[in-house]
Amino acid sequence: GVIALTSQLYWNAFIDYFRISTSVILLPVLLMTVGLELHTLTTCFVTSVIVFTVRFLIQSGSVGMTWQTALYVLLPGALFYFSYGVIFKLCIRNRRATTRQKLLWAIFLSDFGANLIEAEMQEYLQFQTLDEHIIIYLAVIAAIRTMFACMLLVGERQYRALLKKNEHERRYQRLFLMKTGLKNEIYFMRKNSE
């Protein structure tokens, strides 16, 4: 749902109906945090369907666009999210036991590869060929979005570490108070027995 909403923050670039979206920054963050228990391909497939449905409802409601045209125009964008999941899964088999460097490359390759697939499909549907300059732009965009995604992941890890540290401090405080209470009880028990 979050990806579908943030996918509406985009700009059209290079190719007709090709969208550069901010949701791709959040996708790897959600896959590595909230969605860690979920299967990558299932998550990306469901995301693809939801994003397509939201965009389809918005586009088919716009003036002058038939539902067939909306379907034709939006299908490559939906394919992006599923392609992202396939590439991400191929790069990272076990999300719990991956290194930062491997994760960085997986995010970049997933973003760049899925964008390349979407751009190729858009160009194919418009009977055109993909320009080499567009490939360079897609690599740059993937690098920028990867950088932002990694910054969010580092921030999330630091936040979790801070929460864990606070929880440890509270636990030690409780243990200290419990120990102090026991000392008082033992003191009074000794006094009573005397």
Side-chain angles (χ1 to χ4, degrees), residues 2 18 24 28 59 67-68 76 95 103 110 125 131 134 145 150-151 156-157 167 176 182:
V2 172
F18 183 78
V24 184
Q59 286 294 328
W67 68 270
Q68 294 93 341
R95 288 180 282 165
L103 178 61
S110 300
L125 291 173
D131 186 14
I134 292 174
R145 289 196 296 202
C150 287
M151 287 169 43
E156 188 272 338
R157 278 197 184 139
E167 180 58 34
F176 177 76
L182 284 174

PDB file of all heavy atoms in Angstrom, residues 2 18 24 28 59 67-68 76 95 103 110 125 131 134 145 150-151 156-157 167 176 182:
ATOM      1  N   VAL A   2       1.907   1.256   0.844  1.00  0.00           N
ATOM      2  CA  VAL A   2       2.788   2.423   0.946  1.00  0.00           C
ATOM      3  C   VAL A   2       3.488   2.654  -0.392  1.00  0.00           C
ATOM      4  O   VAL A   2       3.599   3.790  -0.858  1.00  0.00           O
ATOM      5  CB  VAL A   2       3.839   2.217   2.068  1.00  0.00           C
ATOM      6  CG1 VAL A   2       4.875   3.311   2.064  1.00  0.00           C
ATOM      7  CG2 VAL A   2       3.160   2.119   3.416  1.00  0.00           C
ATOM      8  N   PHE A  18       6.950   6.640 -19.320  1.00  0.00           N
ATOM      9  CA  PHE A  18       7.958   6.031 -18.446  1.00  0.00           C
ATOM     10  C   PHE A  18       8.095   6.913 -17.211  1.00  0.00           C
ATOM     11  O   PHE A  18       8.395   8.091 -17.313  1.00  0.00           O
ATOM     12  CB  PHE A  18       9.302   5.916 -19.162  1.00  0.00           C
ATOM     13  CG  PHE A  18      10.362   5.240 -18.345  1.00  0.00           C
ATOM     14  CD1 PHE A  18      10.378   3.873 -18.215  1.00  0.00           C
ATOM     15  CD2 PHE A  18      11.328   5.985 -17.697  1.00  0.00           C
ATOM     16  CE1 PHE A  18      11.357   3.236 -17.471  1.00  0.00           C
ATOM     17  CE2 PHE A  18      12.305   5.368 -16.939  1.00  0.00           C
ATOM     18  CZ  PHE A  18      12.314   3.990 -16.827  1.00  0.00           C
ATOM     19  N   VAL A  24      10.536   3.527  -5.354  1.00  0.00           N
ATOM     20  CA  VAL A  24      11.615   2.544  -5.489  1.00  0.00           C
ATOM     21  C   VAL A  24      12.660   2.732  -4.394  1.00  0.00           C
ATOM     22  O   VAL A  24      13.386   1.800  -4.061  1.00  0.00           O
ATOM     23  CB  VAL A  24      12.242   2.629  -6.896  1.00  0.00           C
ATOM     24  CG1 VAL A  24      13.297   1.570  -7.099  1.00  0.00           C
ATOM     25  CG2 VAL A  24      11.157   2.500  -7.948  1.00  0.00           C
ATOM     26  N   PRO A  28      13.241  -1.459  -1.330  1.00  0.00           N
ATOM     27  CA  PRO A  28      14.239  -2.305  -0.664  1.00  0.00           C
ATOM     28  C   PRO A  28      14.252  -2.130   0.855  1.00  0.00           C
ATOM     29  O   PRO A  28      14.549  -3.079   1.587  1.00  0.00           O
ATOM     30  CB  PRO A  28      15.567  -1.859  -1.281  1.00  0.00           C
ATOM     31  CG  PRO A  28      15.311  -0.508  -1.826  1.00  0.00           C
ATOM     32  CD  PRO A  28      13.865  -0.470  -2.205  1.00  0.00           C
ATOM     33  N   GLN A  59      -5.718   6.608 -14.072  1.00  0.00           N
ATOM     34  CA  GLN A  59      -5.590   6.896 -15.511  1.00  0.00           C
ATOM     35  C   GLN A  59      -6.894   6.707 -16.268  1.00  0.00           C
ATOM     36  O   GLN A  59      -7.224   7.494 -17.144  1.00  0.00           O
ATOM     37  CB  GLN A  59      -4.513   6.011 -16.148  1.00  0.00           C
ATOM     38  CG  GLN A  59      -3.118   6.401 -15.799  1.00  0.00           C
ATOM     39  CD  GLN A  59      -2.733   7.748 -16.366  1.00  0.00           C
ATOM     40  OE1 GLN A  59      -3.174   8.152 -17.427  1.00  0.00           O
ATOM     41  NE2 GLN A  59      -1.904   8.463 -15.631  1.00  0.00           N
ATOM     42  N   TRP A  67      -9.905   2.647 -21.199  1.00  0.00           N
ATOM     43  CA  TRP A  67      -9.312   1.663 -20.298  1.00  0.00           C
ATOM     44  C   TRP A  67      -8.307   0.776 -21.041  1.00  0.00           C
ATOM     45  O   TRP A  67      -7.320   0.327 -20.456  1.00  0.00           O
ATOM     46  CB  TRP A  67     -10.379   0.834 -19.584  1.00  0.00           C
ATOM     47  CG  TRP A  67     -11.153  -0.099 -20.480  1.00  0.00           C
ATOM     48  CD1 TRP A  67     -12.307   0.146 -21.153  1.00  0.00           C
ATOM     49  CD2 TRP A  67     -10.788  -1.448 -20.796  1.00  0.00           C
ATOM     50  NE1 TRP A  67     -12.692  -0.940 -21.873  1.00  0.00           N
ATOM     51  CE2 TRP A  67     -11.770  -1.955 -21.672  1.00  0.00           C
ATOM     52  CE3 TRP A  67      -9.734  -2.278 -20.434  1.00  0.00           C
ATOM     53  CZ2 TRP A  67     -11.733  -3.237 -22.179  1.00  0.00           C
ATOM     54  CZ3 TRP A  67      -9.699  -3.563 -20.942  1.00  0.00           C
ATOM     55  CH2 TRP A  67     -10.690  -4.038 -21.806  1.00  0.00           C
ATOM     56  N   GLN A  68      -8.499   0.578 -22.349  1.00  0.00           N
ATOM     57  CA  GLN A  68      -7.551  -0.209 -23.132  1.00  0.00           C
ATOM     58  C   GLN A  68      -6.205   0.516 -23.245  1.00  0.00           C
ATOM     59  O   GLN A  68      -5.148  -0.097 -23.105  1.00  0.00           O
ATOM     60  CB  GLN A  68      -8.087  -0.493 -24.554  1.00  0.00           C
ATOM     61  CG  GLN A  68      -9.297  -1.385 -24.592  1.00  0.00           C
ATOM     62  CD  GLN A  68     -10.608  -0.592 -24.601  1.00  0.00           C
ATOM     63  OE1 GLN A  68     -10.652   0.573 -24.243  1.00  0.00           O
ATOM     64  NE2 GLN A  68     -11.682  -1.264 -25.014  1.00  0.00           N
ATOM     65  N   PRO A  76       3.841  -1.941 -18.550  1.00  0.00           N
ATOM     66  CA  PRO A  76       5.290  -1.965 -18.317  1.00  0.00           C
ATOM     67  C   PRO A  76       5.686  -1.477 -16.917  1.00  0.00           C
ATOM     68  O   PRO A  76       6.608  -2.010 -16.307  1.00  0.00           O
ATOM     69  CB  PRO A  76       5.845  -1.024 -19.390  1.00  0.00           C
ATOM     70  CG  PRO A  76       4.825  -1.060 -20.466  1.00  0.00           C
ATOM     71  CD  PRO A  76       3.502  -1.189 -19.749  1.00  0.00           C
ATOM     72  N   ARG A  95      17.969 -12.855   2.978  1.00  0.00           N
ATOM     73  CA  ARG A  95      18.032 -11.440   3.374  1.00  0.00           C
ATOM     74  C   ARG A  95      18.557 -11.253   4.788  1.00  0.00           C
ATOM     75  O   ARG A  95      19.065 -10.200   5.128  1.00  0.00           O
ATOM     76  CB  ARG A  95      16.646 -10.798   3.257  1.00  0.00           C
ATOM     77  CG  ARG A  95      16.241 -10.588   1.813  1.00  0.00           C
ATOM     78  CD  ARG A  95      14.896  -9.972   1.693  1.00  0.00           C
ATOM     79  NE  ARG A  95      13.871 -10.988   1.918  1.00  0.00           N
ATOM     80  CZ  ARG A  95      12.608 -10.736   2.165  1.00  0.00           C
ATOM     81  NH1 ARG A  95      12.196  -9.494   2.231  1.00  0.00           N
ATOM     82  NH2 ARG A  95      11.753 -11.708   2.336  1.00  0.00           N
ATOM     83  N   LEU A 103      24.098  -6.122  -0.392  1.00  0.00           N
ATOM     84  CA  LEU A 103      22.799  -5.458  -0.400  1.00  0.00           C
ATOM     85  C   LEU A 103      22.835  -4.210  -1.281  1.00  0.00           C
ATOM     86  O   LEU A 103      21.916  -3.962  -2.065  1.00  0.00           O
ATOM     87  CB  LEU A 103      22.372  -5.098   1.020  1.00  0.00           C
ATOM     88  CG  LEU A 103      21.045  -4.363   1.165  1.00  0.00           C
ATOM     89  CD1 LEU A 103      19.898  -5.217   0.629  1.00  0.00           C
ATOM     90  CD2 LEU A 103      20.806  -4.000   2.624  1.00  0.00           C
ATOM     91  N   SER A 110      18.884  -4.303  -9.040  1.00  0.00           N
ATOM     92  CA  SER A 110      17.435  -4.479  -9.138  1.00  0.00           C
ATOM     93  C   SER A 110      16.774  -3.243  -9.727  1.00  0.00           C
ATOM     94  O   SER A 110      15.912  -3.346 -10.606  1.00  0.00           O
ATOM     95  CB  SER A 110      16.841  -4.778  -7.760  1.00  0.00           C
ATOM     96  OG  SER A 110      17.391  -5.950  -7.221  1.00  0.00           O
ATOM     97  N   LEU A 125       6.610  -1.233 -27.205  1.00  0.00           N
ATOM     98  CA  LEU A 125       5.185  -0.985 -27.430  1.00  0.00           C
ATOM     99  C   LEU A 125       4.947   0.237 -28.313  1.00  0.00           C
ATOM    100  O   LEU A 125       3.908   0.358 -28.948  1.00  0.00           O
ATOM    101  CB  LEU A 125       4.446  -0.834 -26.102  1.00  0.00           C
ATOM    102  CG  LEU A 125       4.329  -2.103 -25.255  1.00  0.00           C
ATOM    103  CD1 LEU A 125       3.731  -1.791 -23.894  1.00  0.00           C
ATOM    104  CD2 LEU A 125       3.504  -3.160 -25.974  1.00  0.00           C
ATOM    105  N   ASP A 131      17.596   4.238 -26.673  1.00  0.00           N
ATOM    106  CA  ASP A 131      18.803   5.021 -26.936  1.00  0.00           C
ATOM    107  C   ASP A 131      19.854   4.717 -25.864  1.00  0.00           C
ATOM    108  O   ASP A 131      19.523   4.509 -24.696  1.00  0.00           O
ATOM    109  CB  ASP A 131      18.417   6.505 -26.918  1.00  0.00           C
ATOM    110  CG  ASP A 131      19.546   7.411 -27.314  1.00  0.00           C
ATOM    111  OD1 ASP A 131      20.560   6.924 -27.861  1.00  0.00           O
ATOM    112  OD2 ASP A 131      19.426   8.629 -27.088  1.00  0.00           O
ATOM    113  N   ILE A 134      19.827   6.871 -22.723  1.00  0.00           N
ATOM    114  CA  ILE A 134      18.797   6.539 -21.732  1.00  0.00           C
ATOM    115  C   ILE A 134      19.325   5.492 -20.759  1.00  0.00           C
ATOM    116  O   ILE A 134      19.060   5.564 -19.561  1.00  0.00           O
ATOM    117  CB  ILE A 134      17.504   6.065 -22.426  1.00  0.00           C
ATOM    118  CG1 ILE A 134      16.872   7.246 -23.176  1.00  0.00           C
ATOM    119  CG2 ILE A 134      16.522   5.480 -21.431  1.00  0.00           C
ATOM    120  CD1 ILE A 134      15.679   6.891 -24.014  1.00  0.00           C
ATOM    121  N   ARG A 145      18.947   6.569  -6.381  1.00  0.00           N
ATOM    122  CA  ARG A 145      17.915   5.942  -5.544  1.00  0.00           C
ATOM    123  C   ARG A 145      18.526   4.905  -4.612  1.00  0.00           C
ATOM    124  O   ARG A 145      18.069   4.756  -3.480  1.00  0.00           O
ATOM    125  CB  ARG A 145      16.823   5.324  -6.418  1.00  0.00           C
ATOM    126  CG  ARG A 145      15.976   6.374  -7.096  1.00  0.00           C
ATOM    127  CD  ARG A 145      14.690   5.870  -7.655  1.00  0.00           C
ATOM    128  NE  ARG A 145      14.835   4.907  -8.730  1.00  0.00           N
ATOM    129  CZ  ARG A 145      13.895   4.650  -9.623  1.00  0.00           C
ATOM    130  NH1 ARG A 145      12.734   5.296  -9.584  1.00  0.00           N
ATOM    131  NH2 ARG A 145      14.078   3.760 -10.571  1.00  0.00           N
ATOM    132  N   CYS A 150      19.934   3.191   0.805  1.00  0.00           N
ATOM    133  CA  CYS A 150      20.949   2.769   1.780  1.00  0.00           C
ATOM    134  C   CYS A 150      20.994   3.710   2.974  1.00  0.00           C
ATOM    135  O   CYS A 150      21.177   3.260   4.112  1.00  0.00           O
ATOM    136  CB  CYS A 150      22.317   2.670   1.107  1.00  0.00           C
ATOM    137  SG  CYS A 150      22.428   1.235   0.024  1.00  0.00           S
ATOM    138  N   MET A 151      20.814   5.003   2.728  1.00  0.00           N
ATOM    139  CA  MET A 151      20.766   5.956   3.849  1.00  0.00           C
ATOM    140  C   MET A 151      19.589   5.629   4.768  1.00  0.00           C
ATOM    141  O   MET A 151      19.725   5.658   5.995  1.00  0.00           O
ATOM    142  CB  MET A 151      20.679   7.392   3.324  1.00  0.00           C
ATOM    143  CG  MET A 151      21.979   7.893   2.737  1.00  0.00           C
ATOM    144  SD  MET A 151      21.887   9.468   1.820  1.00  0.00           S
ATOM    145  CE  MET A 151      20.863  10.495   2.801  1.00  0.00           C
ATOM    146  N   GLU A 156      17.567   3.272   9.751  1.00  0.00           N
ATOM    147  CA  GLU A 156      16.683   2.311  10.416  1.00  0.00           C
ATOM    148  C   GLU A 156      17.474   1.400  11.346  1.00  0.00           C
ATOM    149  O   GLU A 156      17.048   1.113  12.461  1.00  0.00           O
ATOM    150  CB  GLU A 156      15.951   1.474   9.353  1.00  0.00           C
ATOM    151  CG  GLU A 156      14.867   0.580   9.879  1.00  0.00           C
ATOM    152  CD  GLU A 156      15.373  -0.783  10.302  1.00  0.00           C
ATOM    153  OE1 GLU A 156      16.440  -1.203   9.834  1.00  0.00           O
ATOM    154  OE2 GLU A 156      14.691  -1.431  11.106  1.00  0.00           O
ATOM    155  N   ARG A 157      18.656   0.963  10.917  1.00  0.00           N
ATOM    156  CA  ARG A 157      19.503   0.116  11.784  1.00  0.00           C
ATOM    157  C   ARG A 157      19.953   0.872  13.026  1.00  0.00           C
ATOM    158  O   ARG A 157      19.976   0.317  14.120  1.00  0.00           O
ATOM    159  CB  ARG A 157      20.721  -0.375  11.008  1.00  0.00           C
ATOM    160  CG  ARG A 157      20.422  -1.577  10.169  1.00  0.00           C
ATOM    161  CD  ARG A 157      21.689  -2.277   9.739  1.00  0.00           C
ATOM    162  NE  ARG A 157      21.323  -3.364   8.862  1.00  0.00           N
ATOM    163  CZ  ARG A 157      21.967  -3.698   7.769  1.00  0.00           C
ATOM    164  NH1 ARG A 157      23.029  -3.015   7.420  1.00  0.00           N
ATOM    165  NH2 ARG A 157      21.569  -4.698   7.030  1.00  0.00           N
ATOM    166  N   GLU A 167      16.222  -0.391  25.708  1.00  0.00           N
ATOM    167  CA  GLU A 167      15.586  -1.543  26.352  1.00  0.00           C
ATOM    168  C   GLU A 167      16.537  -2.217  27.331  1.00  0.00           C
ATOM    169  O   GLU A 167      16.144  -2.589  28.442  1.00  0.00           O
ATOM    170  CB  GLU A 167      15.120  -2.558  25.291  1.00  0.00           C
ATOM    171  CG  GLU A 167      14.448  -3.771  25.852  1.00  0.00           C
ATOM    172  CD  GLU A 167      13.221  -3.451  26.697  1.00  0.00           C
ATOM    173  OE1 GLU A 167      12.507  -2.483  26.386  1.00  0.00           O
ATOM    174  OE2 GLU A 167      12.996  -4.176  27.701  1.00  0.00           O
ATOM    175  N   PHE A 176      18.387  -3.638  38.862  1.00  0.00           N
ATOM    176  CA  PHE A 176      19.008  -2.917  39.966  1.00  0.00           C
ATOM    177  C   PHE A 176      17.991  -2.621  41.062  1.00  0.00           C
ATOM    178  O   PHE A 176      18.249  -2.821  42.257  1.00  0.00           O
ATOM    179  CB  PHE A 176      19.635  -1.614  39.455  1.00  0.00           C
ATOM    180  CG  PHE A 176      20.231  -0.773  40.547  1.00  0.00           C
ATOM    181  CD1 PHE A 176      21.437  -1.122  41.121  1.00  0.00           C
ATOM    182  CD2 PHE A 176      19.573   0.368  41.014  1.00  0.00           C
ATOM    183  CE1 PHE A 176      21.990  -0.354  42.146  1.00  0.00           C
ATOM    184  CE2 PHE A 176      20.107   1.143  42.016  1.00  0.00           C
ATOM    185  CZ  PHE A 176      21.324   0.787  42.597  1.00  0.00           C
ATOM    186  N   LEU A 182      15.479  -6.468  47.177  1.00  0.00           N
ATOM    187  CA  LEU A 182      15.829  -7.727  47.854  1.00  0.00           C
ATOM    188  C   LEU A 182      16.779  -7.482  49.018  1.00  0.00           C
ATOM    189  O   LEU A 182      16.650  -8.109  50.075  1.00  0.00           O
ATOM    190  CB  LEU A 182      16.459  -8.710  46.864  1.00  0.00           C
ATOM    191  CG  LEU A 182      15.510  -9.395  45.900  1.00  0.00           C
ATOM    192  CD1 LEU A 182      16.291 -10.222  44.887  1.00  0.00           C
ATOM    193  CD2 LEU A 182      14.536 -10.286  46.650  1.00  0.00           C
TER     194      LEU A 182
END
